Structure formats: structure tokens, C-alpha cells
């Protein structure tokens, strides 16, 4: 299969500000190109519609890719991880690959009973969406013996690739925005030990407070789910005395918070400011645009697919953790004091 006539190597090179030789090296799978530049070239080629015949373009063979997501992440609608799954599946399909989805319930994830994933299905690689029990990942990864890419979380353990959003700095930036607005009493909504992502966001919130000489108040750090990470319902109770602003570990918690504040007769942002994280919650709350950190989840899906297919074709070792930056979206849920 040849490339589109209207897209040339020099088009890709010009877009990225690099040499045609570098583009050619990437698209033909040659060495001598950094991992970061290789990723940028492949993504730009995909965006411009350049279809490659070489293995670097992932078109020579059709791979069967398993996708795993924990049941707890998709029990409520809308589901952030189901949207990521749809994006990943769409990208893989466009590249000529097949996908098999496996939804893992709590018992299997905790290894309370054994049932191997993708039984009797030959796979070439696996993508795990959302943080899962470490023992489960280790067990199936060793059993399958194929490349694994984990999406939207990371761990210190090696042997797989991790593609994650910048939770720590993202929440630091959002909290700093509130501080710049004049807020000195800021709470945090999120169960800190439920997931690694929430913990990172909490630590980013704490750093923003500390570098500005502000105090964290224990009564304003509020759990919104079960501490073990398996409770999928998000809810919480607010104390009588409130800060002037809250940052929430996700947009869903932020919109639940806004509803609870309104039931108290409080206005957002006139009486209290609210910030979220992810810029994803399409079904509700459109009358209030959040101050939030916008995760580029489409880029996360694209990078995850490209990483896995490179591992399958090139047999390269896992590259460790890759953090993808997002940006602050100001919205209208917070005001200057």
C-alpha cells in the first residue's frame, strides 16, 4: 500500500521543523532517531494522512490487540475510560488491527479467583486502561508474554510502558490559579489513597499551597469514594464551615460539589469557587464551565497505540513512564476575590 500522493516527506518535515532525512529514518524504521522525535513524526504522519508501507507505519500486518478495563470504571455514565477505549479502538481499527475488550470484575482483579484474560485468544499486545491491582497486571503480563502498555496511570515497577497525564503539575497549576485569584482557604475533594492519580493530584495541590505559604486544613480534605479504590460511586458530605474554594480530583466530583453547594443556597462562583480536573464530563453541567486541567486524552490514546505497535514490531524494551502535558481551562466556576 503506497502513501497518499498529496502528502510528502517534506510536508511532514516542514510541519515539525526537522530534516527530511530524519522523517525518512523514522518512517523506514531506521535507528539514530530519538524516541521523542520518532513519536512526533509518527503522530504528524497520522494527522496528515500519510499511509506508510513499512513496518514503522504498522500497516504490513494486522495485529490482534487486547484491551483491559476494570469493571468499576465503567459502571457509571459517562465513563472517561470508555471514551478512551473507543478512541484507542478507533485508532487501531484505522491502522488495520483488531481489538478484543476484556472487562475485569473486582474478584478477578484482586485475584480472588483465577480466570486468565483473553482465554483461547492469540494476542500480539495488550493495553490496560485505568489503574488496576498490581498483582493482576504482573500475573497476566507474565502469563501472556507480550508487550503491555498501561494508560492513565504509572508505577515504579518496570516491564511495561506507562502513558499518563501530568496529574501532579496539572493540579498544582489549577490550585495556583485559585491562589492567583486571591483564595487562601482552599479545600481538596478526592480520596487520596484510592488511586495513584488522585494521590498525585493531591500532592500537586499541597505543593501549590506550600510554595505560597498557605496551610492545608484537614477538615477540607474530603473523601469522595472508597479508600480501596474499588467503590465506583462518588459522593461525599461537606462540613459546616467551608473554604472560599475547592479543587476536585475530577470534573465529576466538581459537578457533584456544585450541586451540593446550590442545595445549601450557595452560588458558584459568587459565594464559593470550584475547580476540577480532566475537562471531561459531557453529559451534565454545561451551564457551568469549570476551571479545570484539560487532559489531552485523544493524544494519550494515540501515543499509547503507537507505543504498543512499536513494541510489537520492533521488539524494543519498554520505555518506562511517559507523562503527557495538558493545559488549564479557566471556565467560569471560579472568581477573583
Amino acid at each position: 500500500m503506497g502513501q497518499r500522493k498529496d502528502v510528502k516527506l517534506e510536508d511532514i518535515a516542514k510541519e515539525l521543523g526537522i530534516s527530511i532525512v530524519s522523517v525518512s529514518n523514522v518512517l523506514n524504521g531506521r535507528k539514530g532517531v530519538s524516541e521523542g522525535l520518532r513519536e512526533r513524526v509518527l503522530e504528524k504522519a497520522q494527522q496528515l494522512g500519510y499511509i506508510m508501507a513499512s513496518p514503522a507505519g504498522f500497516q504490513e500486518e494486522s495485529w490482534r490487540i487486547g484491551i483491559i478495563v476494570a469493571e468499576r470504571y465503567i459502571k457509571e455514565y459517562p465513563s472517561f475510560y470508555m471514551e478512551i477505549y473507543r478512541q484507542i479502538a478507533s485508532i487501531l481499527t484505522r491502522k488495520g488491527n483488531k481489538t478484543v475488550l476484556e472487562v475485569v470484575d473486582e474478584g478477578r482483579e484482586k485475584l480472588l479467583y483465577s480466570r486468565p484474560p483473553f482465554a483461547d485468544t492469540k494476542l500480539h499486545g495488550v493495553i490496560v486502561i485505568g489503574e488496576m491491582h498490581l498483582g493482576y497486571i504482573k500475573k497476566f503480563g507474565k502469563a501472556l508474554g507480550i508487550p503491555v502498555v498501561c494508560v492513565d496511570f504509572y508505577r515504579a515497577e518496570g516491564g511495561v510502558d506507562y502513558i499518563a497525564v501530568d496529574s501532579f503539575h496539572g493540579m498544582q497549576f489549577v490550585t495556583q490559579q485559585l491562589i492567583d485569584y486571591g483564595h487562601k482557604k482552599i479545600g481538596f475533594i478526592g480520596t487520596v489513597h484510592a488511586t495513584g492519580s488522585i494521590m498525585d493530584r493531591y500532592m500537586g495541590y499541597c505543593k501549590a499551597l506550600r510554595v505560597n505559604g498557605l496551610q492545608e486544613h484537614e477538615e477540607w480534605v474530603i473523601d469522595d469514594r472508597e479508600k480501596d479504590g474499588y467503590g465506583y460511586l462518588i459522593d461525599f458530605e461537606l462540613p459546616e464551615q467551608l473554604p472560599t474554594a475547592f479543587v476536585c480530583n475530577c470534573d465529576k466530583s466538581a459537578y457533584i460539589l456544585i450541586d451540593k453547594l446550590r442545595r445549601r443556597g450557595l452560588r458558584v462562583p459568587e459565594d464559593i469557587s470550584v475547580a476540577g480536573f480532566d475537562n471531561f464530563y459531557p453529559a451534565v453541567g454545561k451551564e457551568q464551565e469549570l476551571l479545570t486541567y484539560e487532559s489531552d486524552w485523544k493524544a494519550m490514546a494515540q501515543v499509547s497505540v503507537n507505543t504498543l505497535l512499536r513494541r510489537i514490531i520492533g521488539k524494543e524494551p519498554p520505555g518506562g513512564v511517559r507523562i503527557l502535558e495538558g493545559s488549564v481551562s479557566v471556565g467560569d466556576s471560579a472568581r477573583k476575590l
Side-chain angles (χ1 to χ4, degrees), residues 73 76-80 83 252 280-284:
Y73 293 134
E76 287 193 319
Y77 178 84
S79 168
F80 178 64
E83 287 302 317
K252 186 169 187 176
F280 176 87
Y281 201 48
V284 299

Side-chain angles (χ1 to χ4, degrees), residues 181-197:
Y181 282 174
H183 294 275
K184 296 183 179 180
K185 297 179 179 179
I186 304 172
F188 179 88
I189 292 184
T191 303
V192 176
H193 294 282
T195 68
S197 295

Side-chain angles (χ1 to χ4, degrees), residues 192-209:
V192 176
H193 294 282
T195 68
S197 295
I198 296 178
M199 180 172 287
D200 280 356
R201 293 169 194 182
Y202 170 73
M203 297 304 294
Y205 152 80
C206 288
K207 181 176 180 180
L209 294 182

Side-chain angles (χ1 to χ4, degrees), residues 53-68:
S54 68
F58 315 128
Q59 295 292 331
E60 193 164 286
E61 293 190 56
S62 176
W63 310 107
R64 184 176 288 107
I65 308 300
I67 302 177
I68 295 178

Side-chain angles (χ1 to χ4, degrees), residues 25 29-33 38:
N25 286 341
R30 301 188 189 106
K31 295 182 179 180
V33 181
R38 186 181 302 277

Side-chain angles (χ1 to χ4, degrees), residues 2 26 29 41 48 64 68 112 124 150 171 182 205 212 243 249 252 274 286 291 313:
V26 171
V41 170
L48 295 178
R64 184 176 288 107
I68 295 178
L112 298 181
H124 299 94
C150 297
M171 188 57 84
Y205 152 80
N212 287 278
N249 78 94
K252 186 169 187 176
V274 174
K286 283 304 181 184
L291 164 62
I313 293 171

